[in-house]
Amino acid sequence: MEAKPAIQMRLPFPGKGNAPAAEARTESPVGDEQLMERMLERENLIRALKRVERNGGSAGVDGMEVEELRPHLKIHWPRIREELLVGTYDPHPVRRKEIPKAGGGKRTLGIPTVLDRFIQQAMLQVLQPQWDPTFSDSSFGFRPGRSAHQAVLRAQGYMRSGYTWVVDLDLGKFFDRVNHDRLMSEVGKRVRDGRVRRLIRRYLEAGALENEVFHETEEGTPQGGPLSPLLANLYLDGLDRELERRGHRFARYADDSNIYVRSRRAGYRVLRSVTNFLAKRLKLTVNASKSAVGRPWERTFLGFQLSWKEHRRISPKALHAFKERVREITQRTRGRRIEQVVKELRSYLIGWRSYFGFSEVRGIFKELDSWVRRRLRSYLWKQWGRRGYRELRKRGVSRDLAWNTAKSAHGPWRLSRSPALAFALPAKYFCSLGLPQLYLKPTQPTEPPWYVIRMPGGVGGAES
């Protein structure tokens, strides 16, 4: 007899045809009203469980860690499933946590419990394949097969087709101001299963716990749950459709929208009309201090700028955030071994390179590589302290040069590019510790040239 895969062992997820008796007391769903049953199918639940375990993350208000979810489900899943089927499941409040934003300030996350993340993930896996094909082709955020890089490419296509003014829209605290009734109206157009609609409403109204104080949530969809990005895209689909109806060229990634026009005058006209539409129809506010009409090379879109030569370059704000993070990792007062510092740096640099390596202006990567090595040399010199002379001699620096460097009145940052430290701690030394390089030699491009990228409305290519 063939053994079952280990992932299925002792998990109380019934397979098809093995539904518990509680299912007989549910509403009588038929056709696409069987959404809850589809959500609770064994295969879907196992996929959701694997995804939540793979993503990890912090505990919610109940303190349950991701590692505790599987044992918890083995005991409590039959009761939870019954509550979901009869429509009485009550989600926990989210735990509010503030994290720093790359451009300064704080972003508030709403962290659901691990159990609620699991249920939301199971729901997402059923709803997203149905909803995603209905969304705009100019929407790129948190959608399967789409990315921020594609949004930037779309923007480049508009710019190269003569739309050299951009309306840069910033929605003030979008995730905190989503109107629940308006959102549920859109959900109701796509979901006939009343149990699923009620469950989504309960997630929206579950409230939040911050510093042991409970806060009701009368509006907004908390950032942090698996379902929030899909609900955000559903809500902003109304904006996308309005921009398409007006014939605008635009690219949207979550709440970051850029509309491309041919003149400054047209840009201000669009900014005024879209601001009014958002306020009246979607109950959203445009942040006037951050929204503007300008040239693409004067504005930032998803961490990039499109220069006057139509090249993608990393924005100054993104470079500043990069240096701040590297400074934090390489603080000379942290007292850690250089191997530990490099290990933390490696994780950050590889992720940063995978995103910003999309830049077409490559020289900056060489400069950043050199700057990172200076930070590490400075870190080591401060750590060596009085034994700096011996460490330099041990690494082959001449006696006079080592002595002059050790007795120098200059600080560690100034000495980090001295001949002695450059010789003692060359680039290959840091490579041997596992430090990745940001600058890589260009390879064969994996993306099509801009002139064959299809744009809606005949924009962006030689075929236009």
Side-chain angles (χ1 to χ4, degrees), residues 195-241:
R195 298 163 299 175
V196 174
R197 293 200 302 268
R198 286 194 297 272
L199 183 57
I200 293 175
R201 169 74 80 166
R202 285 174 180 168
Y203 273 122
L204 294 174
E205 298 177 349
L209 203 64
E210 184 176 16
N211 298 324
E212 305 301 324
V213 177
F214 177 78
H215 301 271
E216 293 185 353
T217 48
E218 298 179 353
E219 61 179 3
T221 172
Q223 291 179 270
L227 200 57
S228 292
L230 180 64
L231 295 178
N233 274 331
L234 176 63
Y235 197 82
L236 287 175
D237 191 57
L239 171 62
D240 298 341
R241 297 308 177 186

Side-chain angles (χ1 to χ4, degrees), residues 325 327-336 344 379:
R325 178 61 182 140
R327 286 190 183 102
E328 181 183 341
I329 295 173
T330 58
Q331 286 177 3
R332 295 189 298 273
T333 58
R334 297 181 75 181
R336 299 183 304 159
E344 188 175 350
Y379 183 94

Side-chain angles (χ1 to χ4, degrees), residues 318-326 348-349 352 368 372 438:
L319 290 173
H320 175 75
F322 170 86
K323 290 191 173 183
E324 286 299 305
R325 178 61 182 140
V326 173
Y348 175 69
L349 294 180
W352 193 89
L368 292 177
V372 169
L438 297 177

Side-chain angles (χ1 to χ4, degrees), residues 58 95-99 107-111 209-210:
S58 304
R95 179 171 65 87
R96 279 187 180 163
K97 178 182 179 180
E98 288 189 338
I99 60 171
R107 173 182 287 111
T108 302
L109 294 182
I111 303 174
L209 203 64
E210 184 176 16

Side-chain angles (χ1 to χ4, degrees), residues 43-90:
E43 294 77 9
N44 188 55
L45 293 174
I46 291 175
R47 277 204 303 134
L49 179 60
K50 288 180 178 180
R51 184 61 180 264
V52 170
E53 289 177 334
R54 185 166 63 248
N55 289 346
S58 304
V61 295
D62 62 353
M64 184 191 298
E65 300 290 345
V66 173
E67 302 79 34
E68 302 173 73
L69 175 60
R70 191 177 289 252
H72 180 83
L73 291 175
K74 290 175 183 177
I75 299 171
H76 299 286
W77 180 247
R79 173 186 56 81
I80 297 167
R81 175 187 167 88
E82 179 177 353
E83 292 176 358
L84 290 167
L85 285 168
V86 299
T88 60
Y89 179 79
D90 198 15

Side-chain angles (χ1 to χ4, degrees), residues 269-287:
R269 184 177 68 250
V270 169
L271 179 59
R272 284 192 301 269
S273 63
V274 172
T275 299
N276 291 335
F277 171 83
L278 287 168
K280 292 179 180 178
R281 295 287 298 276
L282 299 184
K283 312 298 182 185
L284 295 174
T285 302
V286 171
N287 188 334

